């Protein structure tokens, strides 16, 4: 019986000495494995980055809620209760949810003895993240402003420029109906659009004023990924109904852009996985055909070995071990390659690669390549072990 | 050499009524007909005969590589055909050393690795292998070629390595198919003397197929295989 140590030594030696013949197969498998691990490891990372950073997605992950009572005269105005907001925030797949008033049109603002009509919205501290906005100057409204109902204001980029000129807004005081407000920041971002002409006040501060009946009847819900949008949108109406009157609830989801993103990503993923599958199938086929050729070319060797007392099982084991050495060796090469790729991608995306995820995928790939090699090598090995000795020895 | 003293102990190989036919297409070629043979320890037997008469076939059957059509074969007191595949492989590992007609060595291996294979299969411990390999190579005068790639040896050297490989396991039966076919006369003579030395000192038997009368001359018994029949040659053809 063949000892494992001898078996491994002989097989690795054989694979290495076969040289060029196996190089192509080894490279194909290595590249396939590297691609698979890199894509699998970085896939979530890339998706997260897209969802978080790419406002080019058109805010497709934001669900907008409101009430439509104005189109039904005589009905009682509705607003979102805090229990509703909490329940929505606790929903699986929800990143943040922001409560805000509807737009208050053209509140008169006094600045340097002149009145300006300015659109205003009352918002909470989650608004910025939810809508993908960021401070260009100064700061954004925070929890303290909300809790203290301070008289502070964040202005849209365009409004700030019109009133005060570029870069001079922070620290200015102006009055809305005799109350003085301080500009603490200027907000911008790709998603700002018409909000660039708005002034944002803390929700509570605005609600306190009572006039113009600003109610918190807007709820913006940002989902974690585009895959979460559908289930979240499906869950929301029930949640609202469970916590408060939900008559005339209106929900806007950017289904169009969402579908487009999903389609693009789906195709990209499909393409990547197809090419990986193709590489692996080709790798498996490569092992199979390489081993078949090898068995045919080494007919005489097989005959000699059997003549000197090798059992069928020894021959079988030897060819399986060679196949395994080839598959595992190539996959290990692929893991090394993937490490480089992942490290490179990580530094390109500016995030630390998730190494535990990488390790788990690498482990799986090694297992899989071992299985692939054994499966692909099985038939050639069986043929070798079944070979008739005398035919093999007479073979020239 | 005379082996009359051995005959009392019973043969290590006893063949009775062996028949072998090959079927190729519609024809049946009867290669061996009613072959009887007894081989005793210390025997050195030459089998001669024209090409294509079945000498290699006989060796394959003796080496448990081929089943005959009919007949009985007992080897070291056991029924050879009742052993089963695995049992026959075990017999080949432990008791039989082969030298084939040509292309005996493994490609892409060194001389050392070639001799290591029989030891690996018969489970010899790694630390014992080197000594056995060196000893076997010494017998054929090639111990200085230990790490040499096998395919870079001359034809004669390759055949000597094959002989060393057949000996490395110290088999009780050596089967050699024209082992000196590719050697010059002097080398062939030398190798046959090695064989003779081993056979007489190791309680070994050897059956050698040859066309060369000088090889037959070293043997104590010579058989002719003709028309499928194995007959003792009374007149040991002495080389001219
Ligand atoms: N598998 C086979 N099928 C059909 N015929 C075969 C087969 N193997 C051998 N033969 C035939 O059997 C005969 C004996 O072959 P064998 O190789 O035993 O001869 P040999 O005496 O060793 O010849 P040589 O001296 O040339 O080596 C030959 O005629 C050969 O053609
Ligand atoms: Mg022959």
């Amino acid at each position: 019986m063949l000892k494992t140590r001898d078996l491994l030594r002989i097989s690795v030696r054989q694979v290495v000495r076969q040289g060029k013949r196996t190089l192509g197969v080894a490279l194909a498998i290595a590249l396939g494995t590297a691609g698979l691990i890199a894509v699998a490891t970085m896939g979530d990372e890339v998706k997260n980055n897209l969802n978080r950073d790419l406002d080019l997605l058109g805010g497709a992950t934001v669900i907008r809620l409101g009430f439509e009572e104005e189109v039904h005269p005589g009905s009682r105005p509705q607003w979102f209760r805090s229990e509703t907001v909490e329940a929505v925030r606790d929903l699986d797949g929800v990143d943040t949810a922001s409560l805000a008033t509807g737009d208050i049109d053209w509140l008169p603002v006094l600045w340097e003895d002149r009145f300006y009509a300015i659109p205003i919205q009352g918002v909470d501290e989650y608004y910025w993240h939810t809508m993908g906005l960021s401070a260009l100057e100064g700061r954004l409204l925070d929890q303290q402003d909300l809790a203290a109902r301070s008289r502070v204001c964040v202005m849209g980029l365009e409004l700030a420029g019109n009133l005060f000129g570029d870069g001079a807004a922070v620290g200015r005081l102006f009055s809305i109906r005799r109350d003085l407000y301080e500009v603490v920041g200027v907000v911008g971002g790709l998603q700002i659009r018409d909000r660039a002409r708005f002034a944002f006040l803390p929700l509570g501060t605005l609600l306190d004023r009572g006039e113009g009946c600003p109610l918190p009847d807007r709820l913006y819900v940002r989902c974690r990924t585009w895959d979460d949008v559908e289930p979240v949108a499906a869950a929301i109406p029930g949640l609202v109904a469970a916590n408060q009157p939900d008559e005339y609830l209106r929900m806007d989801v950017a289904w169009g852009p969402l579908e487009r993103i999903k389609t693009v990503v789906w195709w990209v993923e499909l393409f990547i996985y197809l090419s990986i599958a193709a590489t692996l199938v080709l790798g498996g086929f490569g092992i199979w055909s390489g081993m078949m050729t090898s068995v045919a070319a080494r007919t005489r060797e097989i005959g000699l070995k059997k003549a000197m007392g090798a059992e069928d099982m020894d021959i079988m084991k030897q060819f399986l071990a060679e196949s395994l050495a080839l598959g595992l060796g190539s996959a290990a090469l692929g893991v090394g390659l993937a490490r480089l790729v992942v490290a490179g991608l990580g530094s390109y995306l500016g995030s630390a690669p998730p190494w535990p995820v990488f390790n788990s995928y690498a482990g799986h790939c090694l297992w899989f390549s071992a299985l692939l090699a054994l499966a692909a090598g099985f038939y050639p090995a069986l043929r070798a072990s079944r070979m008739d000795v005398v035919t093999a020895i007479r073979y020239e | 050499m005379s082996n009359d003293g051995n005959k009392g102990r019973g043969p290590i190989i006893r063949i009775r009524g062996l028949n072998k036919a090959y079927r190729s297409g519609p024809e049946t070629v009867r290669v061996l007909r009613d072959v009887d043979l007894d081989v005793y320890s210390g025997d050195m037997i030459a089998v001669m005969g024209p090409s294509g008469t079945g000498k290699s076939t006989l060796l394959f059957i003796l080496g448990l590589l081929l089943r005959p059509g009919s007949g009985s074969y007992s080897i070291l007191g056991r029924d050879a055909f009742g052993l089963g595949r695995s049992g026959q492989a075990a017999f080949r590992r432990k008791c039989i050393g082969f030298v084939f007609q040509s292309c005996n060595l493994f490609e892409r291996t060194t001389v050392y690795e070639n001799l290591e294979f029989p030891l690996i299969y018969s489970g010899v411990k790694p630390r014992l292998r080197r000594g056995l390999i060196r000893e076997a190579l010494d017998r054929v005068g090639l111990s200085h070629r230990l790490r040499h790639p096998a395919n870079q040896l001359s034809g004669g050297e390759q055949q000597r390595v094959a002989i060393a490989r057949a000996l490395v396991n110290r088999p009780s039966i050596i089967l050699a198919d024209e082992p000196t076919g590719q050697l010059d006369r002097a080398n062939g003579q030398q190798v046959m003397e090695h064989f003779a030395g081993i056979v007489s000192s190791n309680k070994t038997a050897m059956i050698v197929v040859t066309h060369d009368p000088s090889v037959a001359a070293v043997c104590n018994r010579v058989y002719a295989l003709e028309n499928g029949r194995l007959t003792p040659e009374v007149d040991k053809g002495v080389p001219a």
Side-chain angles (χ1 to χ4, degrees), chain B residues 114-192:
Chain B
N114 260 282
L115 268 74
E116 194 186 15
F117 273 106
L119 300 176
I120 289 176
Y121 288 127
S122 46
V124 175
K125 292 205 174 69
R127 64 193 158 78
L128 300 178
R129 292 177 194 165
R130 177 170 286 271
L132 289 170
I133 290 171
R134 206 170 260 288
E135 186 192 315
L137 281 175
D138 264 336
R139 284 192 183 281
V140 295
L142 279 177
S143 51
H144 59 293
R145 286 276 196 261
L146 209 60
R147 295 290 169 193
H148 211 80
N151 59 347
Q152 285 176 19
L153 297 172
S154 76
E157 283 173 325
Q158 290 189 18
Q159 202 63 358
R160 274 147 73 196
V161 172
I163 290 164
R165 195 182 57 195
L167 299 178
V168 74
N169 250 348
R170 305 192 174 161
S172 32
I173 299 157
I174 299 168
L175 302 172
D177 202 344
E178 297 186 41
T180 59
Q182 295 179 49
L183 303 182
D184 59 64
R185 209 179 182 83
N187 258 311
Q189 202 65 35
Q190 208 183 343
V191 162
M192 283 316 292

Side-chain angles (χ1 to χ4, degrees), chain A residues 185-242:
Chain A
V186 175
V187 72
L190 281 168
Q191 284 300 300
I192 192 155
R193 296 181 190 165
D194 66 322
R195 301 281 130 173
R197 282 181 280 116
F198 270 65
F200 302 96
L201 304 188
L203 188 60
T205 314
L206 198 61
L207 294 180
D208 275 353
R209 300 186 53 91
E211 305 159 47
C213 53
L215 284 174
D217 59 357
R218 297 294 144 87
L219 186 59
Y220 304 105
V221 182
R222 186 185 189 101
C223 302
R224 259 184 243 284
T225 70
W226 52 74
D227 289 328
D228 295 318
V229 173
E230 212 170 317
V232 168
I236 281 178
L239 261 189
V240 176

Side-chain angles (χ1 to χ4, degrees), chain A residues 136-154:
Chain A
L136 299 179
E137 284 171 46
R139 62 177 179 82
L140 299 171
L141 300 179
D142 58 23
Q143 201 195 344
Q144 257 181 337
D145 298 322
L146 268 290
R149 306 180 175 221
S150 326
R151 294 224 168 108
V152 290
C153 158
V154 166

Side-chain angles (χ1 to χ4, degrees), chain A residues 97-166:
Chain A
S98 168
L99 184 64
T101 66
D103 305 344
I104 301 159
D105 285 339
W106 319 121
L107 221 56
V109 161
L110 181 64
W111 162 246
E112 287 188 337
D113 301 329
R114 287 192 54 188
F115 280 103
Y116 299 86
I118 290 173
I120 288 179
Q121 190 176 19
V123 300
D124 64 10
E125 69 267 37
Y126 303 108
Y127 184 78
W128 322 106
H129 179 76
T130 307
M131 302 305 271
L133 303 179
S134 53
L136 299 179
E137 284 171 46
R139 62 177 179 82
L140 299 171
L141 300 179
D142 58 23
Q143 201 195 344
Q144 257 181 337
D145 298 322
L146 268 290
R149 306 180 175 221
S150 326
R151 294 224 168 108
V152 290
C153 158
V154 166
M155 283 191 172
L157 179 64
E158 200 181 320
L159 173 63
N162 286 346
L163 281 183
F164 310 115
D166 291 337

Side-chain angles (χ1 to χ4, degrees), chain A residues 24-320:
Chain A
V25 178
L27 274 182
I29 297 173
L31 287 179
T33 321
L36 183 70
I37 297 174
V39 168
T41 306
M42 296 310 281
D44 281 352
E45 198 67 12
V46 171
K47 231 176 181 178
N48 282 342
N49 269 303
L50 273 180
N51 279 298
R52 200 185 313 129
D53 302 336
L54 284 190
D55 287 317
L56 284 171
L57 292 182
T61 53
V62 177
I63 298 172
R64 290 150 203 266
L65 297 169
F67 288 99
E68 270 179 338
E69 74 280 336
E70 63 272 21
V71 294
H72 302 279
S75 61
R76 267 181 38 179
Q78 267 311 337
W79 70 95
F80 290 104
R81 313 291 150 75
S82 59
E83 309 87 73
T84 311
V85 178
E86 286 312 314
V88 168
R89 278 189 186 133
D90 286 343
L91 209 57
D92 239 13
V94 169
D95 185 19
T96 52
S98 168
L99 184 64
T101 66
D103 305 344
I104 301 159
D105 285 339
W106 319 121
L107 221 56
V109 161
L110 181 64
W111 162 246
E112 287 188 337
D113 301 329
R114 287 192 54 188
F115 280 103
Y116 299 86
I118 290 173
I120 288 179
Q121 190 176 19
V123 300
D124 64 10
E125 69 267 37
Y126 303 108
Y127 184 78
W128 322 106
H129 179 76
T130 307
M131 302 305 271
L133 303 179
S134 53
L136 299 179
E137 284 171 46
R139 62 177 179 82
L140 299 171
L141 300 179
D142 58 23
Q143 201 195 344
Q144 257 181 337
D145 298 322
L146 268 290
R149 306 180 175 221
S150 326
R151 294 224 168 108
V152 290
C153 158
V154 166
M155 283 191 172
L157 179 64
E158 200 181 320
L159 173 63
N162 286 346
L163 281 183
F164 310 115
D166 291 337
V170 175
R172 302 280 191 174
L173 295 171
F174 66 93
S175 63
I176 303 174
R177 295 197 183 142
R178 268 169 266 120
D179 291 327
L180 271 185
Y181 285 80
E182 184 194 353
V183 180
V184 293
V186 175
V187 72
L190 281 168
Q191 284 300 300
I192 192 155
R193 296 181 190 165
D194 66 322
R195 301 281 130 173
R197 282 181 280 116
F198 270 65
F200 302 96
L201 304 188
L203 188 60
T205 314
L206 198 61
L207 294 180
D208 275 353
R209 300 186 53 91
E211 305 159 47
C213 53
L215 284 174
D217 59 357
R218 297 294 144 87
L219 186 59
Y220 304 105
V221 182
R222 186 185 189 101
C223 302
R224 259 184 243 284
T225 70
W226 52 74
D227 289 328
D228 295 318
V229 173
E230 212 170 317
V232 168
I236 281 178
L239 261 189
V240 176
N243 287 290
Q244 65 168 81
D246 67 333
E247 242 187 338
Y248 309 128
L249 178 71
R250 191 191 70 221
M251 180 163 68
D252 289 327
V253 184
W255 292 119
L258 199 63
E259 275 316 304
R260 278 198 294 281
I261 292 161
K262 276 186 169 177
T263 313
V264 168
V265 170
W266 190 84
W267 278 107
V268 169
E269 281 189 342
L270 180 77
F271 176 75
I272 290 170
Y273 284 114
L274 269 186
S275 51
I276 289 165
T279 335
L280 289 180
V281 167
L282 283 180
F285 182 76
I287 292 183
W288 178 80
S289 81
M291 293 307 290
M292 284 305 267
T293 330
S294 178
V295 168
R298 288 156 65 193
T299 299
R300 193 156 174 100
E301 172 192 324
I302 296 165
L304 287 174
K305 281 183 175 165
K306 285 191 168 187
M308 62 180 58
E311 309 229 3
D312 294 1
M313 206 53 195
D314 293 332
I315 302 290
M316 174 107 188
K317 275 190 204 158
Q318 189 205 318
F319 278 90
L320 276 182

Side-chain angles (χ1 to χ4, degrees), chain B residues 50-81:
Chain B
S51 181
T53 46
K55 305 184 295 298
S56 296
T57 304
L58 179 62
L59 275 200
F60 289 144
I61 292 173
L62 287 173
L64 302 173
L65 298 176
L66 194 62
R67 273 181 170 277
S70 64
S72 71
Y73 177 12
S74 88
I75 178 167
L76 297 167
R78 311 261 316 256
D79 171 21
F81 305 133

